[in-house]
Amino acid sequence: MQRFAGLFLATVAAIAAAWWWLGRSVTMPAGMADPGRIQCMSYAPFRADQTPIIETTHVEPWQIEEDLTKLARVTDCVRTYSIRNGLDALPGIAERVGIKVIQGVWLSRDRERNRQEIDTAAALAKRYPSVVIAIVAGNEVLLRGELSAADLGAAIAALKAAVSVPVTYADVWEFWLRNRDLAQAVDFITVHILPYWEDFPIAADLAGAHVDEIRSGVAKSFPGKEVLIGEVGWPSAGRMREGALPSPANQARVLEEVMARARAGNYRVNLIEAFDQPWKRRLEGTVGGYWGLFSSVAREPKFTWGQPVSDHPLWWWQLAGGIALAAVTFAGVGAIRRRVLGKPALEDLPLRVSGAVALGALVAGIATPWAVANTAIESLGAGGWLVGSIFVAIAAAAPVAVSLNLARDAAIPTFARVLGPAARRSCTVMAWVSGVLLVATTVMAVETALGLVFDPRYRDFPFAPLTAAVVPFAVASFAGRRGSACRGMAETVAAVTLTGSAVYIVLNEGFANWQALWLAAALIALAVTLWRLRDGQST
């Protein structure tokens, strides 16, 4: 009993150490402190299910005023992108709140809509001359390929003829360098520099220097023109792109460094964006909805400038959940030994089995609470929540079921024994439950792997739930009893698919992407488990 209790205490200590490390606050580098007033921030008012993709969406003025009142605490300026969906009321509200506006004009292939946008923006600039300080005629329309440079130039000319405020155009920096003649049409140049979205993604610790270098290069290419960084930011959640990791701490670090460099270099920046925009997740995956300095639901800042930031601020609760899951696993094994097998002592449990139980509980105690947190962030719509909930349920159930099966010295049944006719299911209930969980884990893993092979750009890496589900089976395949018959065809096909997918994912995502590496390792571990699975009678 002492050995088993010792393993439990060691497991709890390891879970506690892991969550302390994950939840620790990250100190911002020296020289990064409260920037004072933020120069300007991109603002879109959409909350919850509101989306500009649906043209009938209309945001009420009270909602905009509520947001601008909060933003007025930290900035004197907002940048908008359109006058539709109720945003034509924004300059009037901004005048009452005391915020300046860089007014956006959305240009597209729809020429009639372009005319309406230009006319409305011009009217707003004339009506609120002390509020509208500039107009952005088009946002990344060249990047989207919806207008030619010549047509865009004509739209800019039409707008300049109608207003007295400066007019600019905004696009990613590469498209300004490809369309240099366009600089003659605008009063100043507005570039978007988003290190996370670069063709070769930039890690957070290098992002500030990258932004500064690109802005400097663009300024040298257009002497005599001011260069405004119209969008610069970092996501607080979502999938990695090579070494670029979205996280609260990295978001704080990048934004603070960019602001510090802007002050030192005396140039203007507009941070993207004020509030998280959930609707962008349907276009850009999870990461699209988490670029805000303010959260979408609470509408409050995600971090305090200059202060340490934790990537897992609720880690105490996650630690408690992990310890509870480990306790359930160990208690279940003890109950099986005492009540089912009639063995009151646990000392005769082979070390390889008790060690396997401890390892499964340890991994589950770390990975399952992490999976719960990620599911809350990554799930979108009923389908997303269903898939995420299934993954978490498997992650929580697998270590318990496999440990109980190990305590009975029973082999994990093959797919054929689990899914075949009832007459073939000559295994214990717990063995059958373990087999069902292994089938479910395999199905989820294959779906995840193939998605990351054929449509990877916006997909997340569910490394946490997959790890919690796979490790108990992988350990049991070496520590527990195995059948002696032939390997099943389904297991073979799944193992080969998972292995090939894991190799492709690593090569496609790059060795700097630890989320991809972790997920690929879990896929390989599952493939090995399936390869070792054999049919045979369970006792």
Side-chain angles (χ1 to χ4, degrees):
M1 186 66 179
Q2 290 181 348
R3 187 180 72 191
F4 203 70
L7 277 174
F8 173 67
L9 292 177
T11 300
V12 168
I15 292 172
W19 274 112
W20 170 84
W21 185 80
L22 289 170
R24 75 196 191 288
S25 293
V26 179
T27 301
M28 295 297 106
M32 299 183 195
D34 189 338
R37 306 290 289 177
I38 296 172
Q39 294 180 18
C40 200
M41 303 169 70
S42 290
Y43 171 70
F46 308 104
R47 307 181 187 180
D49 294 331
Q50 295 175 338
T51 170
I53 297 175
I54 300 175
E55 291 197 8
T56 55
T57 297
H58 180 80
V59 178
E60 295 297 329
W62 68 262
Q63 186 173 314
I64 297 175
E65 184 161 2
E66 185 177 272
D67 287 345
L68 293 189
T69 300
K70 289 188 175 183
L71 295 182
R73 305 174 194 165
V74 298
T75 188
D76 300 315
C77 168
V78 294
R79 175 192 169 186
T80 65
Y81 291 80
S82 175
I83 49 82
R84 292 181 177 266
N85 307 112
L87 280 163
D88 55 332
L90 188 142
I93 298 170
E95 185 176 53
R96 294 197 300 273
V97 174
I99 284 183
K100 305 298 183 182
V101 178
I102 298 178
Q103 178 65 54
V105 173
W106 190 262
L107 299 179
S108 65
R109 292 188 179 92
D110 189 333
R111 296 183 181 276
E112 176 57 27
R113 177 170 175 170
N114 292 349
R115 185 189 64 77
Q116 294 173 4
E117 288 265 349
I118 290 172
D119 290 348
T120 303
L124 290 172
K126 294 174 182 177
R127 184 176 179 182
Y128 302 102
S130 64
V131 174
V132 178
I133 58 175
I135 296 179
V136 182
N139 183 74
E140 297 184 353
V141 68
L142 296 179
L143 172 65
R144 298 194 307 275
E146 295 188 3
L147 285 181
S148 67
D151 288 339
L152 175 59
I156 293 171
L159 191 51
K160 287 186 67 174
V163 299
S164 58
V165 298
V167 177
T168 184
Y169 166 68
D171 212 324
V172 294
W173 60 274
E174 296 99 328
F175 276 80
W176 272 106
L177 299 182
R178 296 176 192 175
N179 298 275
R180 294 171 183 262
D181 292 344
L182 196 62
Q184 303 305 316
V186 298
D187 294 301
F188 63 93
I189 291 169
T190 301
V191 296
H192 295 171
I193 310 174
L194 300 171
Y196 173 86
W197 281 125
E198 296 284 20
D199 291 338
F200 299 98
I202 308 298
D205 59 338
L206 303 175
H210 172 78
V211 171
D212 197 48
E213 179 183 0
I214 294 298
R215 193 215 70 87
S216 177
V218 173
K220 291 178 180 178
S221 297
F222 300 101
K225 289 283 186 180
E226 181 195 1
V227 177
L228 164 69
I229 300 180
E231 285 185 1
V232 61
W234 194 268
S236 62
R239 56 111 71 203
M240 287 186 75
R241 296 189 69 236
E242 296 186 14
L245 172 65
S247 74
N250 280 346
Q251 182 182 55
R253 174 179 183 146
V254 171
L255 295 184
E256 291 182 19
E257 184 174 357
V258 165
M259 291 291 292
R261 287 177 177 271
R263 289 195 301 273
N266 194 31
Y267 55 81
R268 290 195 296 160
V269 298
N270 173 76
L271 302 184
I272 183 168
E273 57 195 327
F275 295 93
D276 283 344
Q277 294 295 297
W279 65 273
K280 291 185 178 180
R281 296 175 61 185
R282 298 194 180 278
L283 303 177
E284 302 173 3
T286 296
V287 72
Y290 292 96
W291 287 75
L293 277 76
F294 288 66
S295 63
S296 174
V297 177
R299 317 297 280 181
E300 292 296 334
K302 296 179 183 177
F303 60 87
T304 301
W305 292 88
Q307 298 300 310
V309 180
S310 172
D311 288 336
H312 297 273
L314 300 178
W315 71 272
W316 274 104
W317 290 102
Q318 292 168 302
L319 168 60
I323 292 176
L325 183 57
V328 168
T329 302
F330 275 86
V333 171
I336 284 286
R337 299 287 291 179
R338 288 192 304 270
R339 299 178 185 179
V340 178
L341 301 180
K343 298 180 179 181
L346 295 172
E347 295 306 307
D348 63 340
L349 193 65
L351 181 58
R352 59 181 174 79
V353 174
S354 56
V357 170
L359 181 57
L362 169 62
V363 172
I366 299 169
T368 302
W370 199 343
V372 172
N374 285 355
T375 297
I377 292 172
E378 296 169 359
S379 298
L380 180 64
W385 276 102
L386 178 61
V387 172
S389 298
I390 291 174
F391 234 149
V392 168
I394 295 171
V400 178
V402 174
S403 294
L404 297 183
N405 200 51
L406 279 171
R408 295 184 63 108
D409 195 27
I412 297 174
T414 60
F415 290 6
R417 190 169 294 279
V418 171
L419 303 175
R424 293 198 60 192
R425 298 175 193 168
S426 56
C427 54
T428 65
V429 172
M430 192 51 62
W432 184 80
V433 170
S434 297
V436 169
L437 288 171
L438 180 57
V439 171
T441 299
T442 302
V443 170
M444 299 296 285
V446 169
E447 188 275 336
T448 297
L450 293 180
L452 287 167
V453 169
F454 292 103
D455 184 27
R457 182 170 174 81
Y458 300 121
R459 289 183 181 266
D460 298 309
F461 300 99
F463 57 89
L466 189 62
T467 299
V470 167
V471 168
F473 290 109
V475 174
S477 72
F478 288 93
R481 176 182 292 191
R482 293 176 67 199
S484 57
C486 296
R487 182 187 306 109
M489 179 59 71
E491 290 88 339
T492 301
V493 172
V496 172
T497 300
L498 292 172
T499 301
S501 298
V503 172
Y504 177 85
I505 289 168
V506 170
L507 296 177
N508 185 57
E509 299 292 342
F511 289 95
N513 188 332
W514 63 258
Q515 290 182 348
L517 294 177
W518 186 336
L519 181 78
L523 295 176
I524 293 293
L526 180 56
V528 171
T529 301
L530 296 174
W531 192 260
R532 290 176 55 80
L533 195 63
R534 297 289 191 278
D535 199 4
Q537 297 295 323
S538 298
T539 59

